Structures are given as structure tokens and as C-alpha cells.
Amino acid sequence: EQLFIDPVEEREAYSRIAVARGFDVQLLITFDFWKDDAARCTPVWDEVIHSLQLGREIENPLKGPTLH
């Protein structure tokens, strides 16, 4: 996470980057948001990171995972 000042808008903003690697998959997630929106955006970022699953195979991607 990095706090910076957007040169065009002249506002403080956060930039978050996550890199994940596993099961022959590499993932890069970026998320930028205004500092004023941190209370709303932080839970979204936390859920994305919490729900990340690498290497999960889904037999039929058009049908989705089988739950039984």
C-alpha cells in the first residue's frame, strides 16, 4: 500500500498491489482509491484478498463449481 497525491486531481489516494503465485498461476491485483473513500474501499480489498484461491479447478467453468 502506498499513499500518494494524484497530480491531476491534487488529492490524496491509496494504491494497493497484491501479487500471488502458485499452481502455475501468477496473479496481479491493483486497487487505487481516494483517501476519503478508505472506509468504504478497505473492506472490499480485504474480501478480495481473503477470498483469493489459486489452483482451484472447476470442471465446467460455464456451470460453476459443483457443491455436492
Side-chain angles (χ1 to χ4, degrees):
E1 176 180 299
Q2 180 159 352
L3 181 63
F4 67 96
I5 297 178
D6 182 281
V8 175
E9 297 288 329
E10 298 181 358
R11 295 173 60 186
E12 288 185 307
Y14 284 108
S15 180
R16 291 185 174 182
I17 300 172
V19 178
R21 184 176 73 165
F23 300 98
D24 295 329
V25 175
Q26 296 179 358
L27 175 73
L28 172 67
I29 302 173
T30 63
F31 189 37
D32 298 334
F33 54 92
W34 301 120
K35 184 178 179 183
D36 298 341
D37 295 330
R40 184 173 55 94
C41 293
T42 297
V44 174
W45 175 261
D46 292 344
E47 182 60 28
V48 167
I49 298 304
H50 175 76
S51 65
L52 179 62
Q53 296 181 23
L54 295 178
R56 182 172 180 199
E57 292 186 29
I58 298 175
E59 192 172 312
N60 182 347
L62 298 175
K63 190 175 161 186
T66 302
L67 301 176
H68 61 288

